[in-house]
Amino acid sequence: MPDLDTCSIPESPAGPQVDPNNQVRIRRAGPDDLPELARLIGLGDGRTYSLPAVERAIARLDPKSYLAWLAFSGGRAIGSSMLEVRTLQWAEQQYRAGYWTNLFVLPEFRAMNVYPLLALTMFREAANDGIEVVYAAARRPGVARAHLAMGM
């Protein structure tokens, strides 16, 4: 099985040269990444948000409230995915859960398998952090198709 944190991806005729090694790296985001997250959230929503507004909305990435991952190519943030940490209750049992939100990959990188690499890394690391359930509301047909293609 390939390492999910670093993966060689084929060059897409529709996309740019990624970097000299044609590598995408995924890592957990921290407070220093808030400006990049604000940029990517805004691009995903087709809006511009102030950094303070994004910091408040995602609780400055307090791990009790929000977890985030970034995809990079050539030192440039090209995608993000986040989980809002929640507690779900089913009957008498409580579960530590993550509501999947703010998934975005720059359009020029979408044909290069960044999305599954980002999502699978997030799932694995979230499970290691005690997230027992990940759930989402997919309102965009393309996102729903991508989720189904990954077996979700």
Side-chain angles (χ1 to χ4, degrees), residues 25-96:
R25 300 211 34 88
I26 309 295
R27 71 165 171 78
R28 180 86 163 265
D32 290 344
D33 296 309
L34 286 165
E36 282 301 312
L37 289 168
R39 179 181 68 85
L40 291 168
I41 292 169
L43 288 170
D45 290 348
R47 301 185 61 181
T48 301
Y49 297 111
S50 71
L51 181 56
V54 172
E55 288 175 339
R56 282 189 307 276
I58 63 174
R60 290 200 45 78
L61 294 181
D62 177 343
K64 292 181 215 136
S65 301
Y66 248 93
L67 305 173
W69 287 262
L70 286 167
F72 290 89
S73 179
R76 175 182 174 206
I78 61 167
S80 65
S81 192
M82 299 180 204
L83 295 174
E84 292 181 25
V85 178
R86 298 288 181 253
T87 301
L88 296 181
Q89 184 163 337
W90 178 259
E92 301 299 317
Q93 185 69 38
Q94 289 190 341
Y95 300 92
R96 188 163 187 249

Side-chain angles (χ1 to χ4, degrees), residues 92-149:
E92 301 299 317
Q93 185 69 38
Q94 289 190 341
Y95 300 92
R96 188 163 187 249
Y99 176 72
W100 191 3
T101 186
N102 294 318
L103 169 65
F104 179 73
V105 175
L106 291 173
E108 61 268 30
F109 292 90
R110 290 181 184 163
M112 303 175 86
N113 293 323
V114 175
Y115 163 69
L117 180 64
L118 184 58
L120 292 172
T121 300
M122 180 184 72
F123 295 152
R124 185 189 69 233
E125 291 185 7
N128 290 340
D129 285 344
I131 299 292
E132 300 169 280
V133 175
V134 172
Y135 65 104
R139 68 182 189 277
R140 296 179 183 150
V143 172
R145 283 190 299 276
H147 288 183
L148 291 172

Side-chain angles (χ1 to χ4, degrees), residues 3-17:
D3 177 10
L4 293 178
D5 293 328
T6 305
C7 184
S8 292
I9 52 180
E11 190 172 336
S12 167
Q17 178 70 25

